[in-house]
Amino acid sequence: MSITWGSVSGWWAPVCLLLGLLYAWLMYRQPVQLAKGPRNALFALRAVVVTVLALLLVSPLIRSVSYQPQKPVILIAQDNSASIKLFSKTLPAADAFSSLKKQLGDDYEVHEFSFSRDLQDGLTNSYNGTQTNISNALHQLNERFVNRNIGALVLATDGLYNLGSDPQYEARNIKANIYTIALGDTVPRRDLLISNVNYNKTAFLGNDFEVELLAEAYQGKGEDMHLSVTEDGRQVLSHNISIASASFKKVIPLKLNADKKGIRKFTFNLAPVKNELSVQNNSETIYIEVLDARQKVLILYDNPHPDISIIKQSIETNRNFEVKTSLIADLTSLKAIDYNLAILYQLSAGSYSKVQTLLKSKMPLWFIAGTQTDLQGLNANQKAVKALAGREEVQEIFAQPVTSFSAFTLSDSTLSKLGKLPPLLAQFGSYEAGPSASVLLKQKIGNVATNYPLLAFNDEGGRRIAVLTGEGIWRWQLAEFKEFGNHHAVEELFSGSVQYLTANANRERFRVYPSKNIFDEGENILLNAELYNDALELVNTPDVKIDLKNQSGKNYSFLFTRIGQSYQLNAGVLPVGEYTWLATTKNGKQQFTAKGQLTVKQLNLETRQSTANHQLLKTIAERSGGKMLQPSEIGKLADLIRKNENIKTVVYEDKRYSDIIDIKWIFVLILLLLSAEWFLRKREGEV
């Protein structure tokens, strides 16, 4: 501990001492009753007290230095995914890593983890993880031990991952030696699998449609794969494929027929072969909605704009919709009444009078505003959004997703992407959502989140209305493709919105639909329901019940929750299997039912890859200065770590500065000195 003066001159110290001596001399220069000894003692006490008080006023800094040794941190991360146990002969001994911790002793700080999809504390030998994300495990370890003295990371895995990015990139961020334990087997095993199915989710009644299936076979050269296709349990197609090589892949085009309306379930299955490694990856199930005819969407506009083609493309990714674009000037040549939805893109003041037939009909409408929109006409023809623009200026608005929106469901990835896309352009002013409107996207201006609606939906007398208050969708599509390599978020936003707007066009009074037909194992089952009265207005006064039954006959009963004007159900996690469901409700004297089916699919990602990727582990280890070891060599790890000169205890110097007035014992000293002086004066009769 030492004194540093900082911005104050050190010459103040003798000045403070001189002040203390002068004060004491003035006080005790002419004592009457004091002897020489007591007088000198009192003089010294007073001089010290005044000097210390003066120093407190000058306020120098007290510097304290401490040294903190930090042991090297050794991290052990063990892969707990299901692919590891496919090769039981390569598994490390149950106590191998515990023995390593004992061998390293107290000179190292050892932390143990296991991982599959996420990182977990502690080691385990269950090997039941359904997905593997090595990159995420490395990222979490690096974040958790940031600014720590990480000496080494022991990574025990087979190098196979089915989630996240290439772990080589994340491994570079760990500033420590990485020792990889090569689990699994690099020798391919006999296996058949269906690795991918490409298909359109909708087909039209009476038409043929094509499905592309990617089949793979390993160590089966010269044999045949027998493929069977069933529709709702009835076999509709079979196919034999000759396996031409030891590592065989083939895209198989299959032509199927949509002979029944509704949701149809198709199952593709490869017959097992002798000594096959796993049969869990031999089958895949898909659902296809067979429709009577496409719904027609009409886009009307005054002037050409790049948004028009982007909106058309995004909607037509759903084969249920057919989109027609037209200038307002050409409207007379169309039969607008034949369409199921009209999108009115940036209409001018004179154009609203030309679409009065549409505005007065019961057809769903989607108003898209922008910098050229007549806002008075927009406000007069819908109640979802009220726009007040006082100046002819333009402002940039970012999308801010509203998590409480419940009219329909968008995926988490789409909501996340929408918040990161570039801004749209809107007229400068204020925007207000109608009292009964549901807002999916709000405006964010710069970094300021507002309550202004960007995309809102409303139900006006059984007619669904949507309003988008900005233009520039083409920027969203370009930015999403540049960042993510696809247009999924924009396509899902427009497809979902149009599907919601036209949902009651078929006049179904009671609709129940799951968010998707195939759920992954461990995923929450989400369903939506809508009930319409005689005027085709949404109501949710009656209770809606649903029973889900699996193939063994076990029944799961639920009651829907009221959300806004409709219903929603989170049935939680259900066991793997095929389910049929029956939903019922009653409005007045009318009884309504809806039924369907869904699948909870076992995650077979871990069995799709069985050949270990030891080259990846070797690359990660060598780049970091570590080494790849076999499971039988784990006993050598302790010696390798001890002999590594980069893994050592680090001593950190901690310097701290504090004001002298913050030191509490100085006040105790002053109190003791003054008390001693008072006691001596009292004893000598000076008080």
Side-chain angles (χ1 to χ4, degrees):
M1 183 180 292
S2 60
I3 295 179
T4 179
W5 295 93
S7 60
V8 179
S9 173
W11 287 104
W12 281 101
V15 173
C16 292
L17 177 60
L18 182 61
L19 179 63
L21 294 172
L22 178 61
Y23 189 96
W25 178 78
L26 290 173
M27 188 169 183
Y28 294 107
R29 71 183 186 280
Q30 291 181 342
V32 178
Q33 300 177 359
L34 291 174
K36 184 177 181 181
R39 183 188 66 182
N40 291 338
L42 290 170
F43 177 88
L45 291 171
R46 177 62 62 167
V48 171
V49 169
V50 174
T51 300
V52 172
L53 289 173
L55 285 172
L56 288 176
L57 293 174
V58 175
S59 190
L61 297 176
I62 302 297
R63 184 181 69 174
S64 60
V65 181
S66 61
Y67 297 93
Q68 299 177 348
Q70 192 175 102
K71 299 177 185 178
V73 176
I74 308 300
L75 305 176
I76 299 175
Q78 178 190 6
D79 191 340
N80 186 44
S81 60
S83 64
I84 302 296
K85 66 180 179 183
L86 292 175
F87 303 94
S88 57
K89 294 182 180 180
T90 66
L91 293 177
D95 60 345
F97 293 115
S98 299
S99 299
L100 172 63
K101 186 175 182 180
K102 292 177 182 178
Q103 291 172 20
L104 291 174
D106 295 333
D107 295 333
Y108 301 87
E109 184 181 334
V110 181
H111 296 270
E112 299 170 329
F113 302 90
S114 60
F115 68 90
S116 52
R117 180 187 178 95
D118 295 302
L119 188 71
Q120 305 290 335
D121 292 333
L123 299 175
T124 178
N125 295 316
S126 61
Y127 303 113
N128 57 3
T130 56
Q131 294 174 293
T132 307
N133 193 337
I134 302 176
S135 178
N136 180 55
L138 296 177
H139 179 74
Q140 290 189 52
L141 286 172
N142 200 28
E143 279 197 338
R144 189 177 297 191
F145 292 92
V146 65
N147 297 327
R148 295 289 301 277
N149 178 25
I150 302 178
L153 166 63
V154 180
L155 179 64
T157 179
D158 55 8
L160 301 177
Y161 60 95
N162 41 54
L163 282 179
S165 57
D166 189 332
Q168 294 183 74
Y169 301 111
E170 192 61 43
R172 294 175 184 175
N173 297 326
I174 297 179
K175 308 304 179 185
N177 299 121
I178 300 177
Y179 295 91
T180 55
I181 309 300
L183 305 180
D185 195 344
T186 56
V187 178
R189 296 282 295 274
R190 187 181 182 87
D191 196 19
L192 307 181
L193 68 146
I194 298 174
S195 58
N196 191 39
V197 180
N198 286 325
Y199 65 99
N200 287 313
K201 294 182 179 180
T202 56
F204 298 99
L205 187 64
N207 290 352
D208 291 335
F209 61 94
E210 194 168 272
V211 174
E212 282 189 348
L213 181 143
L214 177 59
E216 301 182 23
Y218 298 94
Q219 306 305 308
K221 183 178 179 181
E223 298 190 26
D224 289 339
M225 284 192 295
H226 180 71
L227 171 67
S228 62
V229 183
T230 61
E231 178 184 357
D232 295 329
R234 174 177 57 92
Q235 182 168 320
V236 294
L237 190 66
S238 63
H239 199 55
N240 285 325
I241 306 105
S242 297
I243 302 174
S245 62
S247 180
F248 178 76
K249 294 183 181 181
K250 185 174 182 179
V251 176
I252 306 169
L254 302 171
K255 184 173 288 188
L256 303 172
N257 183 260
D259 56 353
K260 293 181 181 179
K261 181 182 175 182
I263 305 292
R264 319 313 306 173
K265 182 181 76 173
F266 292 88
T267 302
F268 306 88
N269 186 68
L270 292 174
V273 295
K274 188 177 180 180
N275 298 325
E276 187 172 354
L277 177 66
S278 172
V279 296
Q280 294 179 354
N281 51 17
N282 287 35
S283 64
E284 282 291 337
T285 298
I286 65 172
Y287 286 87
I288 293 178
E289 184 177 9
V290 179
L291 306 166
D292 262 341
R294 293 185 181 185
Q295 297 200 64
K296 296 182 178 181
V297 178
L298 176 63
I299 302 178
L300 296 173
Y301 54 94
D302 280 317
N303 300 295
H305 193 283
D307 281 357
I308 304 296
S309 61
I310 301 301
I311 295 171
K312 183 178 187 294
Q313 293 170 19
S314 300
I315 296 173
E316 287 185 335
T317 57
N318 186 333
R319 293 185 62 199
N320 186 21
F321 298 105
E322 177 184 334
V323 181
K324 169 73 175 177
T325 62
S326 173
L327 289 164
I328 293 290
D330 299 332
L331 182 60
T332 54
S333 62
L334 299 174
K335 290 184 178 180
I337 198 67
D338 292 339
Y339 291 86
N340 304 99
L341 169 68
I343 299 178
L344 307 179
Y345 186 85
Q346 293 209 63
L347 297 192
S348 61
S351 295
Y352 283 101
S353 60
K354 299 176 183 178
V355 293
Q356 283 299 308
T357 303
L358 294 177
L359 295 173
K360 292 179 179 179
S361 69
K362 282 289 185 179
M363 182 189 299
L365 298 176
W366 188 348
F367 297 86
I368 298 181
T371 58
Q372 305 300 318
T373 302
D374 175 54
L375 295 184
Q376 290 185 352
L378 177 69
N379 293 335
N381 289 284
Q382 51 80 33
K383 299 177 182 177
V385 172
K386 185 177 182 181
L388 300 174
R391 291 179 283 176
E392 294 183 359
E393 295 181 14
V394 176
Q395 62 187 9
E396 293 186 336
I397 52 175
F398 293 89
Q400 179 187 358
V402 178
T403 56
S404 59
F405 180 80
S406 59
F408 58 91
T409 305
L410 295 179
S411 65
D412 291 339
S413 62
T414 292
L415 293 175
S416 176
K417 287 180 182 179
L418 290 175
K420 300 174 183 176
L421 295 178
L424 302 181
L425 298 179
Q427 295 187 41
F428 184 89
S430 63
Y431 296 80
E432 181 180 345
S436 60
S438 298
V439 179
L440 173 58
L441 302 175
K442 289 184 178 180
Q443 298 182 17
K444 186 170 73 170
I445 303 174
N447 292 323
V448 180
T450 72
N451 284 322
Y452 296 168
L454 174 57
L455 176 57
F457 298 85
N458 200 21
D459 194 303
E460 301 176 8
R463 177 199 211 181
R464 289 184 172 176
I465 300 291
V467 177
L468 178 67
T469 58
E471 64 171 276
I473 304 300
W474 63 271
R475 294 188 180 92
W476 280 8
Q477 191 190 55
L478 289 178
E480 185 184 6
F481 188 82
K482 180 180 179 181
E483 183 69 21
F484 305 102
N486 56 57
H487 309 128
H488 292 169
V490 175
E491 290 171 355
E492 186 177 346
L493 174 65
F494 277 89
S495 178
S497 298
V498 170
Q499 201 164 1
Y500 170 76
L501 290 169
T502 59
N504 63 346
N506 55 10
R507 299 301 189 263
E508 288 184 19
R509 297 280 302 278
F510 181 50
R511 296 181 67 245
V512 179
Y513 50 97
S515 58
K516 53 186 177 180
N517 293 106
I518 300 177
F519 294 88
D520 289 330
E521 178 183 4
E523 189 177 6
N524 286 347
I525 310 300
L526 302 176
L527 297 103
N528 301 280
E530 296 174 350
L531 178 64
Y532 296 87
N533 60 17
D534 292 336
L536 292 180
E537 298 171 330
L538 273 174
V539 293
N540 65 355
T541 306
D543 289 336
V544 174
K545 300 177 182 178
I546 188 169
D547 292 318
L548 290 101
K549 184 180 293 186
N550 63 14
Q551 289 177 312
S552 62
K554 186 172 181 179
N555 196 65
Y556 300 86
S557 298
F558 300 95
L559 193 66
F560 276 81
T561 301
R562 294 173 177 84
I563 299 291
Q565 293 178 300
S566 55
Y567 302 86
Q568 201 170 76
L569 171 65
N570 183 347
V573 176
L574 294 179
V576 171
E578 307 285 342
Y579 291 83
T580 58
W581 52 262
L582 176 66
T584 59
T585 189
K586 187 176 182 181
N587 189 20
K589 295 182 179 180
Q590 291 180 297
Q591 188 81 27
F592 298 96
T593 60
K595 59 183 179 179
Q597 54 186 339
L598 57 87
T599 298
V600 179
K601 182 180 68 173
Q602 184 174 6
L603 280 175
N604 296 325
L605 296 177
E606 291 298 311
T607 59
R608 290 178 185 269
Q609 298 171 290
S610 58
T611 306
N613 187 356
H614 288 177
Q615 183 58 47
L616 172 69
L617 304 181
K618 186 177 180 181
T619 302
I620 290 175
E622 291 179 349
R623 282 181 178 174
S624 69
K627 187 178 180 181
M628 186 182 80
L629 303 173
Q630 296 299 321
S632 59
E633 299 177 299
I634 293 178
K636 300 178 181 180
L637 265 175
D639 288 336
L640 288 173
I641 291 173
R642 287 197 186 96
K643 293 177 181 178
N644 192 328
E645 296 182 356
N646 295 323
I647 305 174
K648 54 189 176 182
T649 298
V650 177
V651 178
Y652 292 94
E653 183 183 73
D654 184 17
K655 294 182 180 179
R656 295 187 180 184
Y657 294 86
S658 58
D659 291 325
I660 193 171
I661 199 170
D662 294 330
I663 302 177
K664 302 296 187 292
W665 62 262
I666 290 181
F667 294 95
V668 177
L669 175 64
I670 293 172
L671 181 62
L672 291 175
L673 292 173
L674 290 174
S675 299
E677 182 184 4
W678 179 86
F679 179 77
L680 285 175
R681 287 171 61 88
K682 180 76 173 179
R683 193 184 68 174
E684 296 298 325
E686 285 295 309
V687 178

